[in-house]
Amino acid sequence: MSAGAAPGSRFQRYLLPGFAFKAVVIGGGYATGRELVEFFLPAGAWGGVYAMAAATALWSLVCMLTFVLAQALRSFDYRSFFQRLLGPLWWTFELAYLALLIVLLAVFGAAAGAIGQAVFGWPPLAGAMCLVAAIAAVVSFGNESVERVFKWVSFFLYGVYALFAALALSAFGDRIQAAFAAPAAPAAGWLGDGLTYAGYNLVGAVVILPVARHFAGRRDAAVAGLLAGPLAMLPALAFFVCMVGFQDQIADAALPSDYLLQRLGLPWFHALFQLMVFAALLESGAGAVHAINERAAAAWRARRGREWPPRARLALAAALLLGSVFLADRFGLVALIASGYRGLSYLLLAVYVLPLLTRGVWLLRRRDPAPATAAPSLPSHR
């Protein structure tokens, strides 16, 4: 948004950032329920809810500080943001993010391949290529295209999860009620599990910085950040409520969602849910790749004085996606990096969250943290 330009609509200023944050963090593990089983179910029904509340609070805090700082600094891509936050060490975030991105995109491709195989009987590569083509098409047209995906996929996703909860309560609500009525105290580790889950997803807040250009001021950024946590966790809460009636049965299930869908016995809804998972993979992949595209576009704009063309966005996205799906798995990079996944998460916390809570807060307390020059205008790709 150029200097003097009108701010975005209320939807763009308050809800879109939360939708975008949800889009990045949901991925395949959240959408299929595997992450929810691992991090929340061991604490029991109420313990899982408490852990979700802790994760939501941390998400909201970090999103709020990130959005407020980005708006104050007029930094709407992660490169410019970390140049101000980390100075000459800004590249440490980019290296960690690129390593994480390879793993995420490879996992998304594998999940899409599994969906294509389960629903249509395709070979796994076919489903992965469908996802690659869809993500590349979305990100090649820039901010507006990606934001439309965040918006409409979010409505679809929330609707499917709401319907899932309604059907589950109708079919086995007695089991869910019994789980919440059980006198057992929540497991002691619920707080640690909630914060751990929130921690390795916090990178989503800085990945979606392009949406910060819609804010009119710090109040918009703060409100959007506070809303982002609940908006991202709401589908997980609905899903978790459905799960607690079958805690023992799904503890080791690779796809907890499939177990519950089979209990419902509704083939049409099973297919609808699989489509929703594919849409979730699409918006997660689009959000992650779009962050790289916007970083490259900002550098191009600064050096060349003109906007990055759609074909360049498409080429970079295709290279990232195809490289992640093929090369990473072929040469064992996924296994190599995944073995250090927790270490990558800690590194991201060290180069992002810790500086945000220290130097970032200091920058916000300065009298005039924003640079004197106006923010560059962003193109409208249609």
Side-chain angles (χ1 to χ4, degrees), residues 159-378:
V160 171
Y161 273 112
L163 182 56
F164 191 12
L167 291 172
L169 288 171
S170 176
F172 33 81
D174 54 337
R175 299 179 66 105
I176 295 172
Q177 185 177 7
F180 279 101
W190 64 264
L191 180 59
D193 288 342
L195 295 180
T196 299
Y197 176 71
Y200 77 78
N201 283 301
L202 284 173
V203 68
V206 76
V207 168
I208 61 165
L209 283 180
V211 304
R213 73 190 192 282
H214 295 300
F215 298 141
R218 290 191 181 186
R219 180 181 178 277
D220 286 355
V223 171
L226 291 174
L227 289 175
L231 286 172
M233 190 61 78
L234 189 59
L237 178 61
F239 203 173
F240 179 78
V241 169
C242 299
M243 288 180 179
V244 296
F246 298 93
Q247 296 183 58
D248 296 333
Q249 294 87 341
I250 65 175
D252 297 321
L255 294 175
S257 58
D258 265 5
Y259 183 91
L260 295 175
L261 290 167
Q262 289 170 12
R263 303 286 79 75
L264 287 176
L266 299 171
W268 66 268
F269 185 71
H270 200 152
L272 182 67
F273 194 89
Q274 295 282 28
L275 178 61
M276 182 276 294
V277 174
F278 184 88
L281 294 171
L282 169 60
E283 66 172 358
S284 292
V289 173
H290 184 58
I292 298 289
N293 259 337
E294 284 302 290
R295 174 259 191 268
W300 177 277
R301 190 183 302 118
R303 293 179 182 178
R304 303 292 183 91
R306 60 180 185 272
E307 302 302 339
W308 214 35
R311 63 180 180 274
R313 292 176 178 270
L314 177 62
L316 179 56
L320 284 170
L321 291 160
L322 294 173
S324 297
V325 170
F326 287 107
L327 298 181
D329 186 59
R330 181 179 178 86
F331 293 103
L333 290 178
V334 171
L336 178 63
I337 299 175
S339 65
Y341 185 75
R342 189 174 293 272
L344 273 176
S345 300
Y346 291 146
L347 177 59
L348 287 167
L349 290 173
V351 301
Y352 167 38
V353 178
L354 183 60
L356 178 69
L357 296 177
T358 52
R359 176 170 166 77
V361 172
W362 175 76
L363 286 171
L364 285 172
R365 295 185 61 163
R366 291 175 59 186
R367 184 167 184 173
D368 183 19
T373 58
S377 60
L378 290 173

Side-chain angles (χ1 to χ4, degrees), residues 82-242:
F82 281 102
Q83 282 179 329
R84 298 297 301 275
L85 185 63
L86 298 179
L89 295 178
W90 68 269
W91 55 269
T92 58
F93 172 84
E94 185 160 63
L95 286 181
Y97 178 59
L98 286 173
L100 184 62
L101 184 64
I102 291 173
V103 178
L104 291 177
L105 294 178
V107 170
F108 293 169
I115 292 173
Q117 188 174 37
V119 177
F120 302 108
W122 294 346
L125 184 59
M129 287 300 95
C130 285
L131 181 66
V132 167
I135 293 174
V138 167
V139 301
S140 65
F141 293 101
N143 286 303
E144 292 185 8
S145 175
V146 174
E147 289 177 5
R148 281 195 294 269
V149 169
F150 289 159
K151 176 180 178 180
W152 295 112
V153 170
S154 294
F155 291 152
F156 174 51
L157 185 144
Y158 288 134
V160 171
Y161 273 112
L163 182 56
F164 191 12
L167 291 172
L169 288 171
S170 176
F172 33 81
D174 54 337
R175 299 179 66 105
I176 295 172
Q177 185 177 7
F180 279 101
W190 64 264
L191 180 59
D193 288 342
L195 295 180
T196 299
Y197 176 71
Y200 77 78
N201 283 301
L202 284 173
V203 68
V206 76
V207 168
I208 61 165
L209 283 180
V211 304
R213 73 190 192 282
H214 295 300
F215 298 141
R218 290 191 181 186
R219 180 181 178 277
D220 286 355
V223 171
L226 291 174
L227 289 175
L231 286 172
M233 190 61 78
L234 189 59
L237 178 61
F239 203 173
F240 179 78
V241 169
C242 299

Side-chain angles (χ1 to χ4, degrees), residues 16-42:
L16 178 63
F19 285 180
F21 179 67
K22 177 270 303 166
V24 173
V25 305
I26 192 167
Y30 176 151
T32 60
R34 187 61 245 168
E35 288 181 342
L36 307 185
V37 167
E38 292 180 2
F39 287 94
F40 302 121
L41 203 60

